[in-house]
Structures are given as structure tokens and as C-alpha cells.
PDB file of all heavy atoms in Angstrom:
ATOM      1  N   GLU Z 205     148.478  89.749 110.438  1.00 95.00           N
ATOM      2  CA  GLU Z 205     148.935  90.339 111.692  1.00 95.00           C
ATOM      3  C   GLU Z 205     147.774  90.939 112.482  1.00 95.00           C
ATOM      4  O   GLU Z 205     147.790  90.943 113.719  1.00 95.00           O
ATOM      5  CB  GLU Z 205     149.982  91.418 111.424  1.00 95.00           C
ATOM      6  CG  GLU Z 205     151.301  90.877 110.894  1.00 95.00           C
ATOM      7  CD  GLU Z 205     152.310  91.974 110.623  1.00 95.00           C
ATOM      8  OE1 GLU Z 205     152.243  93.032 111.272  1.00 95.00           O
ATOM      9  OE2 GLU Z 205     153.175  91.779 109.738  1.00 95.00           O
ATOM     10  N   CYS Z 206     146.776  91.448 111.771  1.00 95.00           N
ATOM     11  CA  CYS Z 206     145.617  92.066 112.425  1.00 95.00           C
ATOM     12  C   CYS Z 206     144.471  91.074 112.623  1.00 95.00           C
ATOM     13  O   CYS Z 206     143.342  91.477 112.957  1.00 95.00           O
ATOM     14  CB  CYS Z 206     145.141  93.267 111.614  1.00 95.00           C
ATOM     15  SG  CYS Z 206     146.357  94.603 111.521  1.00 95.00           S
ATOM     16  N   ALA Z 207     144.766  89.785 112.403  1.00 95.00           N
ATOM     17  CA  ALA Z 207     143.806  88.697 112.654  1.00 95.00           C
ATOM     18  C   ALA Z 207     142.521  88.815 111.845  1.00 95.00           C
ATOM     19  O   ALA Z 207     141.437  88.439 112.312  1.00 95.00           O
ATOM     20  CB  ALA Z 207     143.478  88.605 114.147  1.00 95.00           C
ATOM     21  N   LEU Z 208     142.624  89.317 110.621  1.00 96.00           N
ATOM     22  CA  LEU Z 208     141.446  89.425 109.752  1.00 96.00           C
ATOM     23  C   LEU Z 208     141.270  88.145 108.942  1.00 96.00           C
ATOM     24  O   LEU Z 208     142.170  87.722 108.223  1.00 96.00           O
ATOM     25  CB  LEU Z 208     141.587  90.623 108.820  1.00 96.00           C
ATOM     26  CG  LEU Z 208     141.471  92.001 109.474  1.00 96.00           C
ATOM     27  CD1 LEU Z 208     141.786  93.101 108.472  1.00 96.00           C
ATOM     28  CD2 LEU Z 208     140.072  92.205 110.045  1.00 96.00           C
ATOM     29  N   THR Z 209     140.102  87.530 109.064  1.00 95.00           N
ATOM     30  CA  THR Z 209     139.818  86.296 108.343  1.00 95.00           C
ATOM     31  C   THR Z 209     139.245  86.601 106.963  1.00 95.00           C
ATOM     32  O   THR Z 209     138.870  87.737 106.672  1.00 95.00           O
ATOM     33  CB  THR Z 209     138.799  85.441 109.106  1.00 95.00           C
ATOM     34  OG1 THR Z 209     137.560  86.162 109.193  1.00 95.00           O
ATOM     35  CG2 THR Z 209     139.297  85.115 110.513  1.00 95.00           C
ATOM     36  N   LYS Z 210     139.148  85.571 106.143  1.00 95.00           N
ATOM     37  CA  LYS Z 210     138.618  85.738 104.785  1.00 95.00           C
ATOM     38  C   LYS Z 210     137.201  86.294 104.802  1.00 95.00           C
ATOM     39  O   LYS Z 210     136.871  87.209 104.040  1.00 95.00           O
ATOM     40  CB  LYS Z 210     138.626  84.380 104.068  1.00 95.00           C
ATOM     41  CG  LYS Z 210     138.327  84.454 102.577  1.00 95.00           C
ATOM     42  CD  LYS Z 210     139.547  84.960 101.838  1.00 95.00           C
ATOM     43  CE  LYS Z 210     139.423  84.782 100.350  1.00 95.00           C
ATOM     44  NZ  LYS Z 210     140.670  85.113  99.649  1.00 95.00           N
ATOM     45  N   SER Z 211     136.354  85.751 105.669  1.00 95.00           N
ATOM     46  CA  SER Z 211     134.968  86.213 105.714  1.00 95.00           C
ATOM     47  C   SER Z 211     134.888  87.671 106.155  1.00 95.00           C
ATOM     48  O   SER Z 211     134.074  88.445 105.628  1.00 95.00           O
ATOM     49  CB  SER Z 211     134.133  85.331 106.648  1.00 95.00           C
ATOM     50  OG  SER Z 211     134.664  85.343 107.965  1.00 95.00           O
ATOM     51  N   GLU Z 212     135.728  88.067 107.108  1.00 97.00           N
ATOM     52  CA  GLU Z 212     135.734  89.463 107.550  1.00 97.00           C
ATOM     53  C   GLU Z 212     136.207  90.387 106.434  1.00 97.00           C
ATOM     54  O   GLU Z 212     135.677  91.493 106.254  1.00 97.00           O
ATOM     55  CB  GLU Z 212     136.654  89.618 108.769  1.00 97.00           C
ATOM     56  CG  GLU Z 212     136.102  88.984 110.038  1.00 97.00           C
ATOM     57  CD  GLU Z 212     137.095  89.024 111.178  1.00 97.00           C
ATOM     58  OE1 GLU Z 212     138.261  88.614 110.968  1.00 97.00           O
ATOM     59  OE2 GLU Z 212     136.718  89.471 112.274  1.00 97.00           O
ATOM     60  N   ILE Z 213     137.189  89.939 105.678  1.00 97.00           N
ATOM     61  CA  ILE Z 213     137.717  90.748 104.577  1.00 97.00           C
ATOM     62  C   ILE Z 213     136.661  90.912 103.492  1.00 97.00           C
ATOM     63  O   ILE Z 213     136.495  92.001 102.925  1.00 97.00           O
ATOM     64  CB  ILE Z 213     139.006  90.109 104.013  1.00 97.00           C
ATOM     65  CG1 ILE Z 213     140.119  90.181 105.068  1.00 97.00           C
ATOM     66  CG2 ILE Z 213     139.441  90.808 102.728  1.00 97.00           C
ATOM     67  CD1 ILE Z 213     141.290  89.279 104.781  1.00 97.00           C
ATOM     68  N   ARG Z 214     135.915  89.857 103.205  1.00 97.00           N
ATOM     69  CA  ARG Z 214     134.834  89.964 102.217  1.00 97.00           C
ATOM     70  C   ARG Z 214     133.777  90.969 102.692  1.00 97.00           C
ATOM     71  O   ARG Z 214     133.296  91.789 101.904  1.00 97.00           O
ATOM     72  CB  ARG Z 214     134.191  88.592 101.980  1.00 97.00           C
ATOM     73  CG  ARG Z 214     135.043  87.644 101.150  1.00 97.00           C
ATOM     74  CD  ARG Z 214     134.243  86.418 100.727  1.00 97.00           C
ATOM     75  NE  ARG Z 214     135.048  85.448 100.011  1.00 97.00           N
ATOM     76  CZ  ARG Z 214     135.372  85.527  98.728  1.00 97.00           C
ATOM     77  NH1 ARG Z 214     134.945  86.558  98.016  1.00 97.00           N
ATOM     78  NH2 ARG Z 214     136.110  84.593  98.147  1.00 97.00           N
ATOM     79  N   GLU Z 215     133.416  90.896 103.964  1.00 97.00           N
ATOM     80  CA  GLU Z 215     132.399  91.803 104.496  1.00 97.00           C
ATOM     81  C   GLU Z 215     132.880  93.249 104.432  1.00 97.00           C
ATOM     82  O   GLU Z 215     132.142  94.154 104.033  1.00 97.00           O
ATOM     83  CB  GLU Z 215     132.064  91.416 105.940  1.00 97.00           C
ATOM     84  CG  GLU Z 215     130.938  92.237 106.556  1.00 97.00           C
ATOM     85  CD  GLU Z 215     129.628  92.132 105.801  1.00 97.00           C
ATOM     86  OE1 GLU Z 215     129.337  91.053 105.235  1.00 97.00           O
ATOM     87  OE2 GLU Z 215     128.895  93.149 105.756  1.00 97.00           O
ATOM     88  N   ARG Z 216     134.123  93.475 104.833  1.00 97.00           N
ATOM     89  CA  ARG Z 216     134.672  94.834 104.794  1.00 97.00           C
ATOM     90  C   ARG Z 216     134.798  95.343 103.361  1.00 97.00           C
ATOM     91  O   ARG Z 216     134.589  96.524 103.084  1.00 97.00           O
ATOM     92  CB  ARG Z 216     136.041  94.863 105.478  1.00 97.00           C
ATOM     93  CG  ARG Z 216     135.989  94.660 106.988  1.00 97.00           C
ATOM     94  CD  ARG Z 216     137.338  94.935 107.605  1.00 97.00           C
ATOM     95  NE  ARG Z 216     137.337  94.743 109.042  1.00 97.00           N
ATOM     96  CZ  ARG Z 216     138.267  95.234 109.850  1.00 97.00           C
ATOM     97  NH1 ARG Z 216     139.270  95.955 109.338  1.00 97.00           N
ATOM     98  NH2 ARG Z 216     138.218  95.023 111.148  1.00 97.00           N
ATOM     99  N   SER Z 217     135.141  94.439 102.456  1.00 97.00           N
ATOM    100  CA  SER Z 217     135.260  94.819 101.046  1.00 97.00           C
ATOM    101  C   SER Z 217     133.908  95.228 100.481  1.00 97.00           C
ATOM    102  O   SER Z 217     133.803  96.183  99.702  1.00 97.00           O
ATOM    103  CB  SER Z 217     135.835  93.658 100.228  1.00 97.00           C
ATOM    104  OG  SER Z 217     137.144  93.334 100.648  1.00 97.00           O
ATOM    105  N   LYS Z 218     132.868  94.505 100.890  1.00 97.00           N
ATOM    106  CA  LYS Z 218     131.511  94.837 100.442  1.00 97.00           C
ATOM    107  C   LYS Z 218     131.112  96.223 100.945  1.00 97.00           C
ATOM    108  O   LYS Z 218     130.578  97.047 100.196  1.00 97.00           O
ATOM    109  CB  LYS Z 218     130.525  93.786 100.943  1.00 97.00           C
ATOM    110  CG  LYS Z 218     129.098  93.991 100.442  1.00 97.00           C
ATOM    111  CD  LYS Z 218     128.189  92.875 100.943  1.00 97.00           C
ATOM    112  CE  LYS Z 218     126.776  93.046 100.419  1.00 97.00           C
ATOM    113  NZ  LYS Z 218     125.885  91.954 100.919  1.00 97.00           N
ATOM    114  N   GLU Z 219     131.407  96.492 102.221  1.00 97.00           N
ATOM    115  CA  GLU Z 219     131.090  97.792 102.801  1.00 97.00           C
ATOM    116  C   GLU Z 219     131.856  98.922 102.106  1.00 97.00           C
ATOM    117  O   GLU Z 219     131.347 100.036 101.976  1.00 97.00           O
ATOM    118  CB  GLU Z 219     131.427  97.783 104.296  1.00 97.00           C
ATOM    119  CG  GLU Z 219     130.529  96.881 105.133  1.00 97.00           C
ATOM    120  CD  GLU Z 219     130.992  96.744 106.559  1.00 97.00           C
ATOM    121  OE1 GLU Z 219     132.064  97.331 106.895  1.00 97.00           O
ATOM    122  OE2 GLU Z 219     130.314  96.056 107.351  1.00 97.00           O
ATOM    123  N   ALA Z 220     133.068  98.592 101.650  1.00 96.00           N
ATOM    124  CA  ALA Z 220     133.908  99.599 100.989  1.00 96.00           C
ATOM    125  C   ALA Z 220     133.523  99.797  99.523  1.00 96.00           C
ATOM    126  O   ALA Z 220     134.039 100.702  98.855  1.00 96.00           O
ATOM    127  CB  ALA Z 220     135.378  99.194 101.088  1.00 96.00           C
ATOM    128  N   GLY Z 221     132.637  98.936  99.011  1.00 96.00           N
ATOM    129  CA  GLY Z 221     132.209  99.051  97.619  1.00 96.00           C
ATOM    130  C   GLY Z 221     133.184  98.470  96.615  1.00 96.00           C
ATOM    131  O   GLY Z 221     133.149  98.838  95.430  1.00 96.00           O
ATOM    132  N   LEU Z 222     134.024  97.542  97.063  1.00 96.00           N
ATOM    133  CA  LEU Z 222     134.990  96.909  96.155  1.00 96.00           C
ATOM    134  C   LEU Z 222     134.317  95.768  95.400  1.00 96.00           C
ATOM    135  O   LEU Z 222     133.700  94.890  96.018  1.00 96.00           O
ATOM    136  CB  LEU Z 222     136.189  96.367  96.940  1.00 96.00           C
ATOM    137  CG  LEU Z 222     136.947  97.367  97.827  1.00 96.00           C
ATOM    138  CD1 LEU Z 222     138.080  96.663  98.555  1.00 96.00           C
ATOM    139  CD2 LEU Z 222     137.484  98.529  96.998  1.00 96.00           C
ATOM    140  N   PHE Z 223     134.432  95.747  94.072  1.00 95.00           N
ATOM    141  CA  PHE Z 223     133.762  94.707  93.292  1.00 95.00           C
ATOM    142  C   PHE Z 223     134.338  93.324  93.561  1.00 95.00           C
ATOM    143  O   PHE Z 223     133.724  92.305  93.244  1.00 95.00           O
ATOM    144  CB  PHE Z 223     133.807  95.024  91.794  1.00 95.00           C
ATOM    145  CG  PHE Z 223     135.155  94.863  91.151  1.00 95.00           C
ATOM    146  CD1 PHE Z 223     135.617  93.622  90.733  1.00 95.00           C
ATOM    147  CD2 PHE Z 223     135.982  95.970  90.945  1.00 95.00           C
ATOM    148  CE1 PHE Z 223     136.857  93.474  90.116  1.00 95.00           C
ATOM    149  CE2 PHE Z 223     137.219  95.839  90.334  1.00 95.00           C
ATOM    150  CZ  PHE Z 223     137.660  94.581  89.926  1.00 95.00           C
ATOM    151  N   THR Z 224     135.512  93.275  94.182  1.00 95.00           N
ATOM    152  CA  THR Z 224     136.171  91.997  94.464  1.00 95.00           C
ATOM    153  C   THR Z 224     135.572  91.273  95.670  1.00 95.00           C
ATOM    154  O   THR Z 224     135.958  90.137  95.947  1.00 95.00           O
ATOM    155  CB  THR Z 224     137.666  92.233  94.730  1.00 95.00           C
ATOM    156  OG1 THR Z 224     137.800  93.267  95.732  1.00 95.00           O
ATOM    157  CG2 THR Z 224     138.384  92.662  93.467  1.00 95.00           C
ATOM    158  N   TRP Z 225     134.642  91.894  96.384  1.00 96.00           N
ATOM    159  CA  TRP Z 225     134.180  91.324  97.665  1.00 96.00           C
ATOM    160  C   TRP Z 225     133.615  89.909  97.507  1.00 96.00           C
ATOM    161  O   TRP Z 225     133.761  89.059  98.393  1.00 96.00           O
ATOM    162  CB  TRP Z 225     133.139  92.247  98.309  1.00 96.00           C
ATOM    163  CG  TRP Z 225     131.755  92.181  97.737  1.00 96.00           C
ATOM    164  CD1 TRP Z 225     131.264  92.933  96.723  1.00 96.00           C
ATOM    165  CD2 TRP Z 225     130.689  91.308  98.146  1.00 96.00           C
ATOM    166  NE1 TRP Z 225     129.954  92.598  96.462  1.00 96.00           N
ATOM    167  CE2 TRP Z 225     129.577  91.613  97.326  1.00 96.00           C
ATOM    168  CE3 TRP Z 225     130.556  90.314  99.125  1.00 96.00           C
ATOM    169  CZ2 TRP Z 225     128.367  90.935  97.451  1.00 96.00           C
ATOM    170  CZ3 TRP Z 225     129.349  89.647  99.241  1.00 96.00           C
ATOM    171  CH2 TRP Z 225     128.269  89.959  98.420  1.00 96.00           C
ATOM    172  N   GLU Z 226     132.980  89.632  96.375  1.00 93.00           N
ATOM    173  CA  GLU Z 226     132.389  88.308  96.182  1.00 93.00           C
ATOM    174  C   GLU Z 226     133.152  87.475  95.146  1.00 93.00           C
ATOM    175  O   GLU Z 226     132.661  86.449  94.678  1.00 93.00           O
ATOM    176  CB  GLU Z 226     130.926  88.435  95.780  1.00 93.00           C
ATOM    177  CG  GLU Z 226     130.695  89.177  94.470  1.00 93.00           C
ATOM    178  CD  GLU Z 226     129.231  89.274  94.101  1.00 93.00           C
ATOM    179  OE1 GLU Z 226     128.417  88.546  94.715  1.00 93.00           O
ATOM    180  OE2 GLU Z 226     128.897  90.067  93.194  1.00 93.00           O
ATOM    181  N   LYS Z 227     134.346  87.916  94.812  1.00 92.00           N
ATOM    182  CA  LYS Z 227     135.146  87.187  93.827  1.00 92.00           C
ATOM    183  C   LYS Z 227     135.581  85.836  94.410  1.00 92.00           C
ATOM    184  O   LYS Z 227     136.110  85.776  95.523  1.00 92.00           O
ATOM    185  CB  LYS Z 227     136.385  88.026  93.453  1.00 92.00           C
ATOM    186  CG  LYS Z 227     137.208  87.439  92.326  1.00 92.00           C
ATOM    187  CD  LYS Z 227     138.328  88.395  91.940  1.00 92.00           C
ATOM    188  CE  LYS Z 227     139.175  87.826  90.818  1.00 92.00           C
ATOM    189  NZ  LYS Z 227     140.250  88.758  90.411  1.00 92.00           N
ATOM    190  N   PRO Z 228     135.375  84.733  93.684  1.00 88.00           N
ATOM    191  CA  PRO Z 228     135.787  83.422  94.200  1.00 88.00           C
ATOM    192  C   PRO Z 228     137.302  83.356  94.392  1.00 88.00           C
ATOM    193  O   PRO Z 228     138.063  84.027  93.691  1.00 88.00           O
ATOM    194  CB  PRO Z 228     135.337  82.453  93.097  1.00 88.00           C
ATOM    195  CG  PRO Z 228     134.286  83.190  92.342  1.00 88.00           C
ATOM    196  CD  PRO Z 228     134.699  84.626  92.386  1.00 88.00           C
ATOM    197  N   ALA Z 229     137.732  82.549  95.345  1.00 85.00           N
ATOM    198  CA  ALA Z 229     139.163  82.333  95.543  1.00 85.00           C
ATOM    199  C   ALA Z 229     139.738  81.727  94.261  1.00 85.00           C
ATOM    200  O   ALA Z 229     139.078  80.910  93.606  1.00 85.00           O
ATOM    201  CB  ALA Z 229     139.395  81.397  96.719  1.00 85.00           C
ATOM    202  N   TYR Z 230     140.939  82.143  93.899  1.00 86.00           N
ATOM    203  CA  TYR Z 230     141.517  81.651  92.647  1.00 86.00           C
ATOM    204  C   TYR Z 230     142.991  81.311  92.860  1.00 86.00           C
ATOM    205  O   TYR Z 230     143.780  82.160  93.274  1.00 86.00           O
ATOM    206  CB  TYR Z 230     141.387  82.709  91.545  1.00 86.00           C
ATOM    207  CG  TYR Z 230     141.790  82.185  90.190  1.00 86.00           C
ATOM    208  CD1 TYR Z 230     140.864  81.522  89.385  1.00 86.00           C
ATOM    209  CD2 TYR Z 230     143.095  82.313  89.731  1.00 86.00           C
ATOM    210  CE1 TYR Z 230     141.237  81.007  88.161  1.00 86.00           C
ATOM    211  CE2 TYR Z 230     143.469  81.793  88.500  1.00 86.00           C
ATOM    212  CZ  TYR Z 230     142.535  81.143  87.713  1.00 86.00           C
ATOM    213  OH  TYR Z 230     142.912  80.620  86.498  1.00 86.00           O
ATOM    214  N   ALA Z 231     143.337  80.071  92.601  1.00 89.00           N
ATOM    215  CA  ALA Z 231     144.735  79.642  92.673  1.00 89.00           C
ATOM    216  C   ALA Z 231     145.320  79.671  91.274  1.00 89.00           C
ATOM    217  O   ALA Z 231     144.601  79.528  90.284  1.00 89.00           O
ATOM    218  CB  ALA Z 231     144.826  78.231  93.249  1.00 89.00           C
ATOM    219  N   CYS Z 232     146.619  79.867  91.168  1.00 94.00           N
ATOM    220  CA  CYS Z 232     147.259  80.025  89.855  1.00 94.00           C
ATOM    221  C   CYS Z 232     147.077  78.795  88.971  1.00 94.00           C
ATOM    222  O   CYS Z 232     146.777  77.693  89.448  1.00 94.00           O
ATOM    223  CB  CYS Z 232     148.740  80.361  90.022  1.00 94.00           C
ATOM    224  SG  CYS Z 232     149.797  78.939  90.363  1.00 94.00           S
ATOM    225  N   LEU Z 233     147.263  78.981  87.680  1.00 96.00           N
ATOM    226  CA  LEU Z 233     147.045  77.913  86.701  1.00 96.00           C
ATOM    227  C   LEU Z 233     147.930  76.691  86.948  1.00 96.00           C
ATOM    228  O   LEU Z 233     147.554  75.566  86.611  1.00 96.00           O
ATOM    229  CB  LEU Z 233     147.292  78.450  85.288  1.00 96.00           C
ATOM    230  CG  LEU Z 233     146.297  79.501  84.786  1.00 96.00           C
ATOM    231  CD1 LEU Z 233     146.795  80.131  83.487  1.00 96.00           C
ATOM    232  CD2 LEU Z 233     144.914  78.886  84.589  1.00 96.00           C
ATOM    233  N   ALA Z 234     149.088  76.899  87.552  1.00 97.00           N
ATOM    234  CA  ALA Z 234     150.003  75.775  87.793  1.00 97.00           C
ATOM    235  C   ALA Z 234     149.400  74.737  88.726  1.00 97.00           C
ATOM    236  O   ALA Z 234     149.769  73.561  88.683  1.00 97.00           O
ATOM    237  CB  ALA Z 234     151.321  76.290  88.359  1.00 97.00           C
ATOM    238  N   THR Z 235     148.448  75.157  89.568  1.00 95.00           N
ATOM    239  CA  THR Z 235     147.835  74.212  90.508  1.00 95.00           C
ATOM    240  C   THR Z 235     146.945  73.196  89.805  1.00 95.00           C
ATOM    241  O   THR Z 235     146.519  72.219  90.418  1.00 95.00           O
ATOM    242  CB  THR Z 235     147.003  74.953  91.572  1.00 95.00           C
ATOM    243  OG1 THR Z 235     145.937  75.670  90.925  1.00 95.00           O
ATOM    244  CG2 THR Z 235     147.860  75.942  92.353  1.00 95.00           C
ATOM    245  N   ARG Z 236     146.662  73.403  88.540  1.00 97.00           N
ATOM    246  CA  ARG Z 236     145.821  72.453  87.797  1.00 97.00           C
ATOM    247  C   ARG Z 236     146.634  71.255  87.289  1.00 97.00           C
ATOM    248  O   ARG Z 236     146.077  70.281  86.801  1.00 97.00           O
ATOM    249  CB  ARG Z 236     145.156  73.123  86.593  1.00 97.00           C
ATOM    250  CG  ARG Z 236     144.546  74.484  86.848  1.00 97.00           C
ATOM    251  CD  ARG Z 236     143.460  74.462  87.910  1.00 97.00           C
ATOM    252  NE  ARG Z 236     142.681  75.679  87.830  1.00 97.00           N
ATOM    253  CZ  ARG Z 236     142.948  76.792  88.517  1.00 97.00           C
ATOM    254  NH1 ARG Z 236     143.960  76.807  89.359  1.00 97.00           N
ATOM    255  NH2 ARG Z 236     142.197  77.871  88.383  1.00 97.00           N
ATOM    256  N   ILE Z 237     147.953  71.363  87.386  1.00 97.00           N
ATOM    257  CA  ILE Z 237     148.836  70.315  86.875  1.00 97.00           C
ATOM    258  C   ILE Z 237     149.399  69.541  88.057  1.00 97.00           C
ATOM    259  O   ILE Z 237     149.966  70.137  88.977  1.00 97.00           O
ATOM    260  CB  ILE Z 237     149.968  70.931  86.033  1.00 97.00           C
ATOM    261  CG1 ILE Z 237     149.352  71.738  84.874  1.00 97.00           C
ATOM    262  CG2 ILE Z 237     150.905  69.854  85.500  1.00 97.00           C
ATOM    263  CD1 ILE Z 237     150.345  72.575  84.105  1.00 97.00           C
ATOM    264  N   PRO Z 238     149.260  68.218  88.080  1.00 96.00           N
ATOM    265  CA  PRO Z 238     149.701  67.434  89.235  1.00 96.00           C
ATOM    266  C   PRO Z 238     151.184  67.628  89.549  1.00 96.00           C
ATOM    267  O   PRO Z 238     152.017  67.748  88.646  1.00 96.00           O
ATOM    268  CB  PRO Z 238     149.426  65.987  88.797  1.00 96.00           C
ATOM    269  CG  PRO Z 238     148.402  66.092  87.721  1.00 96.00           C
ATOM    270  CD  PRO Z 238     148.696  67.379  87.009  1.00 96.00           C
ATOM    271  N   ALA Z 239     151.512  67.671  90.833  1.00 96.00           N
ATOM    272  CA  ALA Z 239     152.912  67.793  91.253  1.00 96.00           C
ATOM    273  C   ALA Z 239     153.725  66.659  90.646  1.00 96.00           C
ATOM    274  O   ALA Z 239     153.273  65.515  90.569  1.00 96.00           O
ATOM    275  CB  ALA Z 239     152.997  67.750  92.776  1.00 96.00           C
ATOM    276  N   GLY Z 240     154.913  67.007  90.179  1.00 96.00           N
ATOM    277  CA  GLY Z 240     155.780  66.017  89.548  1.00 96.00           C
ATOM    278  C   GLY Z 240     155.607  65.937  88.046  1.00 96.00           C
ATOM    279  O   GLY Z 240     156.425  65.334  87.350  1.00 96.00           O
ATOM    280  N   THR Z 241     154.541  66.538  87.521  1.00 97.00           N
ATOM    281  CA  THR Z 241     154.314  66.597  86.077  1.00 97.00           C
ATOM    282  C   THR Z 241     154.863  67.919  85.559  1.00 97.00           C
ATOM    283  O   THR Z 241     154.546  68.978  86.098  1.00 97.00           O
ATOM    284  CB  THR Z 241     152.813  66.512  85.745  1.00 97.00           C
ATOM    285  OG1 THR Z 241     152.287  65.283  86.253  1.00 97.00           O
ATOM    286  CG2 THR Z 241     152.581  66.577  84.253  1.00 97.00           C
ATOM    287  N   GLU Z 242     155.691  67.869  84.540  1.00 97.00           N
ATOM    288  CA  GLU Z 242     156.317  69.083  84.018  1.00 97.00           C
ATOM    289  C   GLU Z 242     155.271  70.120  83.592  1.00 97.00           C
ATOM    290  O   GLU Z 242     154.263  69.787  82.980  1.00 97.00           O
ATOM    291  CB  GLU Z 242     157.208  68.746  82.822  1.00 97.00           C
ATOM    292  CG  GLU Z 242     157.934  69.964  82.254  1.00 97.00           C
ATOM    293  CD  GLU Z 242     158.699  69.655  80.976  1.00 97.00           C
ATOM    294  OE1 GLU Z 242     158.516  68.553  80.414  1.00 97.00           O
ATOM    295  OE2 GLU Z 242     159.475  70.516  80.542  1.00 97.00           O
ATOM    296  N   ILE Z 243     155.543  71.359  83.931  1.00 98.00           N
ATOM    297  CA  ILE Z 243     154.677  72.460  83.519  1.00 98.00           C
ATOM    298  C   ILE Z 243     155.223  73.061  82.233  1.00 98.00           C
ATOM    299  O   ILE Z 243     156.407  73.389  82.146  1.00 98.00           O
ATOM    300  CB  ILE Z 243     154.620  73.556  84.604  1.00 98.00           C
ATOM    301  CG1 ILE Z 243     154.096  72.987  85.919  1.00 98.00           C
ATOM    302  CG2 ILE Z 243     153.728  74.714  84.149  1.00 98.00           C
ATOM    303  CD1 ILE Z 243     154.168  73.972  87.069  1.00 98.00           C
ATOM    304  N   THR Z 244     154.365  73.207  81.238  1.00 97.00           N
ATOM    305  CA  THR Z 244     154.769  73.819  79.964  1.00 97.00           C
ATOM    306  C   THR Z 244     153.801  74.953  79.623  1.00 97.00           C
ATOM    307  O   THR Z 244     152.690  75.023  80.157  1.00 97.00           O
ATOM    308  CB  THR Z 244     154.745  72.797  78.819  1.00 97.00           C
ATOM    309  OG1 THR Z 244     153.389  72.359  78.603  1.00 97.00           O
ATOM    310  CG2 THR Z 244     155.627  71.589  79.138  1.00 97.00           C
TER     311      THR Z 244
END
């Protein structure tokens, strides 16, 4: 809603001293399994 992009959020996080500022994007484990293949 405030039009903050990923790069801006990383920069602000760095300024705030948050260790997450350089954390790589991470999608959940289910994304490693092709769609249509049962997840177990």
C-alpha cells in the first residue's frame, strides 16, 4: 500500500540494523515439487 519495493525494504532493513536485510528470498519447500505431483 505504501509502494515499498523489495530493494527499498532491504535498504531500510539495513539502516534499521535487522539481520534479515540481506537474507535471500525463500519460497516454501512445496515449491520444489512440480505442480500435479503429490506432496508428502
Side-chain angles (χ1 to χ4, degrees):
E205 291 179 27
C206 296
L208 289 174
T209 63
K210 190 76 168 187
S211 59
E212 289 174 310
I213 293 165
R214 286 191 184 280
E215 184 59 33
R216 291 190 180 198
S217 297
K218 184 178 182 180
E219 292 172 358
L222 304 179
F223 72 82
T224 51
W225 78 270
E226 61 180 346
K227 186 175 180 179
Y230 188 86
C232 80
L233 293 170
T235 62
R236 315 300 196 269
I237 302 171
T241 301
E242 182 186 10
I243 301 173
T244 65

